[in-house]
Amino acid sequence: MDMLFEEVAKAYSQIEAESGRINMTKILADLFSKTPPDLLDKVVYLTLGKLYPDYVGVELGMADRLAIKAISIASGLSEGEIERMYKEMGDLGSVAEAALKRKTQMAFFVEDLTVQKVYGNLERIAKATGAGSQDRKIRLLAELLNIAKPLEARYIVRMVTGRLRLGVADMTVLDALAVAFAMTKAVREKIERAYNLHPDLGYIAKVLAKEGLEGVEKIGITLGIPVRPMLAERLKNIDEIFEKIGPRVAFEYKYDGMRAQIHIGEKVKMIYSRRLENVTHQFPDVLKAVEEAFQGREAIFDGEMVPVDVNTGELLPFQVVSHRRGRKYDIEKMVEEIPVILFLFDIIYLDGEDLTMKPYEERREILERVVKETEKVRYAHRIVTEDKLEAQNFMDQAILDGCEGVVAKKLGPDAIYRAGVRGFLWIKYKRDYQMELGDTLDLVVVGAFAGKGKRKGTYGALLMAAYNPERDMFETVCKLGTGFSDEELAELPKKLEPYRIDHKHPRVDSQIEADFWFVPSVVLEVVGAEITLSPVHTAARDKLRKGAGLAVRFPRFTGRWRTDKKPEDATTIQELIEMYKNQVKKVVE
Ligand code: ATP
């Protein structure tokens, strides 16, 4: 069974015109229930602007130059004319739409575009490599545009250039599925569980449509498919940690590197980043080291990769290897110059068995049994103690050894590995003297204000938001205008341009009228002096006091673009509430 692509395009244009999250979900739900089950995975991926789940690592990103050629072929307008329109309109999708509108005055449609056809050609474009691949890509796109109606062309071109950006995220899709398949809250939890262990929404949607909930319940950990990482809550001192998860607590160094989930087996060898991107090819040395250290058949490990200074053996900030992308030769050179040590802190799967329901102590024992330490693969350094002084000394040593702080881990039978969940089974305690709040915040850019005076021509400040997972919305917490260097400021409009839209995004909750709006995409690290109640910001509105939200006072950009985080990985309003309560407690004490 196939489906007309026009149905999909119409749904997208409705979403684009929509200003509310609930309606957006409804439009998606309608689309999903209309979609034949066999095609549901494809429609889900396309809606997210992809062809596969992220971890497969195949991205759509055809160069504008090639897309312009294809539009020119399909519309009969010259490349120069298309370029001129592009300069004027700023969005190649709208250019394609306008160009085809001119053409359709003369032509009539002979063929209907189907979802299979669109997906098939996009897939061939994404996979085309080697000699002649540019021409092939142009031809494949032109073929679609030849059949496409103007509205369809708008979305095909946005997709193929990697700029669909409807702002539909995984949670939005989960909600839409819930509406489409009339599910209760309990059912929704089961789907989320499957998603945490096997984060492939297309696959889950298809299983749901074809086999119902029973099928979804059978979804579990699969070697080679990333598991959503377990995350830590935060507290500000050792006393609070013991109060929360004492009397006996494990403390591990919090290495300041890059999180790595390693899948290893006879045929499967992969490394996934925190946001589940496949980074295997950037760390061939780490993979090899794990193969040497691991004594079993197949496993999934959780750990942190940290660069070391070859001469002194000291741990280095991760930025020094964050450029391990690009060509093979460069990577080989960098592997030698700046080696990476892998500190393992967990194992979640071993030889066919899911270990996530086993307690932390047992997982750690298994880890130490199946991995022998080598120069490049070590266990995360740790102590288990009831003694606060010993814990504080351990923290001080962690800082001296180049770590960010410690992660306290709860002991006992309930200390399971909760995939995809941030909770108090793990508690991070960082020491950063400049920060009053005990941790940095990761906030999402949702809007901007035009600069004045010295900042004319760029943005004067950005409107920043935290994430509310319950509502799947971005709620504002502050205007951010400090911490940027002059160059950074000058570059902001260009860097944010790809996310610009002409109205507030449906998933943004703001009472403040910004001059510019963005699809929630970019995450910046911010420090602040304090969290206060605010009548204008919408984060955690009504949760602490009726009519008031939470705001960050004196926010400052740390200079770190958190490209390792999706907007949904940003600081949540629950975290803000915790931070707010913690400071209130401190004042009372
Ligand atoms: P941050 O910005 O503080 O790294 P995060 O949101 O990326 O926060 P959290 O779960 O809040 O992640 O903090 C724990 C992070 O610390 C893990 O994601 C991991 O990358 C890192 N880490 C370093 N050492 C450890 C350890 N021993 N146990 C668990 N996580 C560790």
Side-chain angles (χ1 to χ4, degrees):
M1 266 257 279
D2 212 335
M3 178 186 190
L4 293 183
F5 184 69
E6 198 179 359
E7 304 241 27
V8 177
K10 278 192 180 146
Y12 292 174
S13 81
Q14 281 171 15
I15 289 175
E16 261 192 295
E18 194 43 66
S19 60
R21 165 75 165 64
I22 294 174
N23 283 339
M24 177 177 181
T25 313
K26 212 175 141 293
I27 297 163
L28 276 181
D30 283 348
L31 175 66
F32 294 160
S33 38
K34 261 194 266 178
T35 307
D38 270 330
L39 279 181
L40 192 53
D41 52 348
K42 296 193 168 88
V43 171
V44 166
Y45 298 135
L46 290 179
T47 304
L48 294 163
K50 301 167 190 169
L51 292 172
Y52 311 101
D54 279 343
Y55 57 80
V56 175
V58 176
E59 275 179 42
L60 276 165
M62 186 167 174
D64 287 352
R65 193 170 45 81
L66 305 185
I68 287 171
K69 286 207 160 91
I71 299 170
S72 158
I73 294 171
S75 65
L77 300 179
S78 72
E79 281 176 43
E81 175 64 5
I82 303 288
E83 269 162 26
R84 195 194 57 73
M85 290 165 78
Y86 187 18
K87 270 213 190 89
E88 193 186 298
M89 301 171 105
D91 161 40
L92 213 45
S94 308
V95 171
E97 181 178 13
L100 287 195
K101 266 193 192 142
R102 288 212 216 160
K103 169 184 142 179
T104 49
Q105 288 161 1
M106 308 172 261
F108 57 92
F109 301 105
V110 277
E111 205 182 329
D112 281 324
L113 207 48
T114 64
V115 170
Q116 292 275 25
K117 178 73 190 165
V118 173
Y119 186 91
N121 276 29
L122 291 180
E123 194 174 40
R124 284 160 69 196
I125 290 172
K127 288 187 169 170
T129 49
S133 62
Q134 298 206 343
D135 285 340
R136 239 177 309 141
K137 287 184 191 194
I138 296 170
R139 231 178 313 121
L140 286 161
L141 178 56
E143 190 194 353
L144 289 180
L145 297 180
N146 263 326
I147 321 171
K149 300 189 178 72
L151 187 70
E152 295 174 320
R154 183 203 297 180
Y155 296 108
I156 291 171
V157 168
R158 284 189 192 162
M159 278 175 189
V160 80
T161 52
R163 293 194 212 108
L164 180 64
R165 299 202 175 111
L166 290 175
V168 171
D170 288 11
M171 283 304 145
T172 330
V173 171
L174 281 180
D175 280 349
L177 287 173
V179 177
F181 296 93
M183 293 181 302
T184 62
K185 190 148 184 271
V187 175
R188 163 75 204 245
E189 271 165 26
K190 288 184 179 162
I191 297 183
E192 243 184 276
R193 185 203 134 271
Y195 170 72
N196 284 331
L197 297 177
H198 190 135
D200 177 346
L201 278 177
Y203 171 75
I204 291 175
K206 198 166 163 173
V207 170
L208 190 64
K210 292 181 101 165
E211 299 169 39
L213 199 57
E214 253 170 60
V216 172
E217 274 174 322
K218 283 193 218 129
I219 296 174
I221 292 188
T222 311
L223 189 70
I225 292 173
V227 175
R228 295 188 71 222
M230 173 161 172
L231 299 170
E233 273 289 352
R234 59 173 70 74
L235 285 174
K236 274 165 64 180
N237 59 53
I238 294 286
D239 286 348
E240 285 179 359
I241 293 174
F242 275 98
E243 209 175 289
K244 190 93 190 170
I245 58 171
R248 232 172 121 68
V249 179
F251 289 89
E252 298 182 354
Y253 273 14
K254 184 177 193 300
Y255 297 96
D256 190 7
M258 175 177 166
R259 185 140 187 194
Q261 189 181 102
I262 294 143
H263 292 234
I264 193 133
E266 208 187 317
K267 293 205 187 92
V268 178
K269 295 174 204 310
M270 310 249 209
I271 304 179
Y272 290 111
S273 70
R274 186 189 183 291
R275 58 186 290 179
L276 309 184
E277 282 159 337
N278 184 346
V279 293
T280 316
H281 63 283
Q282 292 169 41
F283 300 96
D285 46 335
V286 175
L287 205 56
K288 194 158 147 256
V290 176
E291 284 187 282
E292 278 165 24
F294 176 47
Q295 325 253 294
R297 201 162 40 81
E298 45 185 44
I300 303 176
F301 297 106
D302 202 350
E304 189 92 355
M305 302 189 286
V306 192
V308 282
D309 185 318
V310 250
N311 301 312
T312 62
E314 276 175 11
L315 302 182
L316 296 172
F318 192 75
Q319 280 84 314
V320 298
V321 289
S322 58
H323 305 296
R324 267 203 192 181
R325 298 213 162 108
R327 289 176 312 169
K328 197 157 175 241
Y329 164 78
D330 295 332
I331 290 171
E332 277 167 17
K333 213 171 78 185
M334 290 182 88
V335 165
E336 254 170 59
E337 282 170 9
I338 312 167
V340 165
I341 293 187
L342 172 68
F343 292 95
L344 290 176
F345 51 75
D346 226 310
I347 177 165
I348 50 187
Y349 171 93
L350 177 70
D351 296 341
E353 192 189 352
D354 175 347
L355 303 180
T356 54
M357 296 311 282
K358 293 202 185 296
Y360 160 75
E361 267 306 78
E362 197 178 334
R363 298 197 311 274
R364 175 82 186 203
E365 267 168 38
I366 297 173
L367 174 68
E368 293 187 15
R369 200 174 67 229
V370 299
V371 173
K372 69 169 194 306
E373 279 194 295
T374 64
E375 196 192 330
K376 293 189 157 215
V377 179
R378 316 236 177 105
Y379 315 136
H381 188 41
R382 72 158 195 171
I383 55 167
V384 176
T385 184
E386 291 184 21
D387 183 348
K388 287 182 183 171
L389 194 63
E390 194 187 352
Q392 189 55 54
N393 287 338
F394 186 75
M395 168 72 177
D396 295 341
Q397 192 59 47
I399 303 290
L400 283 176
D401 288 342
C403 293
E404 267 184 306
V406 293
V407 183
K409 297 194 172 174
K410 190 170 193 283
L411 300 170
D414 58 346
I416 57 169
Y417 188 96
R418 298 188 65 198
V421 177
R422 190 186 291 284
F424 280 101
L425 293 177
W426 288 3
I427 303 170
K428 58 182 165 181
Y429 166 33
K430 295 197 212 175
R431 198 165 67 182
D432 193 332
Y433 294 109
Q434 325 150 23
M435 278 181 324
E436 298 293 317
L437 285 177
D439 199 359
T440 49
L441 302 152
D442 298 314
L443 302 177
V444 185
V445 183
V446 295
F449 303 90
K452 298 190 190 99
K454 233 182 89 188
R455 296 197 174 173
K456 212 166 158 64
T458 177
Y459 300 138
L462 301 175
L463 183 61
M464 308 299 292
Y467 182 55
N468 180 340
E470 266 168 47
R471 296 174 66 209
D472 187 28
M473 293 280 285
F474 295 91
E475 305 176 344
T476 69
V477 276
C478 62
K479 289 186 187 175
L480 177 66
T482 48
F484 298 94
S485 68
D486 289 348
E487 296 86 70
E488 259 167 349
L489 264 181
E491 292 217 322
L492 271 181
K494 211 168 103 210
K495 275 193 150 162
L496 294 172
E497 178 59 34
Y499 310 101
R500 248 188 63 195
I501 44 179
D502 56 13
H503 57 86
K504 184 165 67 185
H505 192 272
R507 288 173 66 216
V508 170
D509 186 356
S510 173
Q511 289 190 354
I512 298 173
E513 264 308 312
D515 299 323
F516 306 98
W517 294 106
F518 304 102
V519 179
S521 311
V522 174
V523 182
L524 302 181
E525 191 179 74
V526 174
V527 290
E530 195 189 350
I531 303 211
T532 56
L533 289 167
S534 153
V536 288
H537 285 291
T538 54
R541 201 176 179 76
D542 296 338
K543 297 251 177 195
L544 292 156
R545 188 199 295 159
K546 194 125 191 53
L550 288 177
V552 179
R553 264 187 87 208
F554 302 126
R556 180 163 48 82
F557 178 44
T558 65
R560 219 160 152 182
W561 293 68
R562 291 296 306 248
T563 47
D564 61 327
K565 291 200 170 181
K566 293 187 201 173
E568 292 78 19
D569 295 325
T571 299
T572 61
I573 58 152
Q574 278 82 2
E575 292 178 83
L576 282 178
I577 293 171
E578 289 289 334
M579 286 175 158
Y580 176 77
K581 285 188 179 155
N582 269 329
Q583 45 178 40
V584 173
K585 205 156 83 194
K586 208 173 154 204
V587 172
V588 173
E589 280 166 12

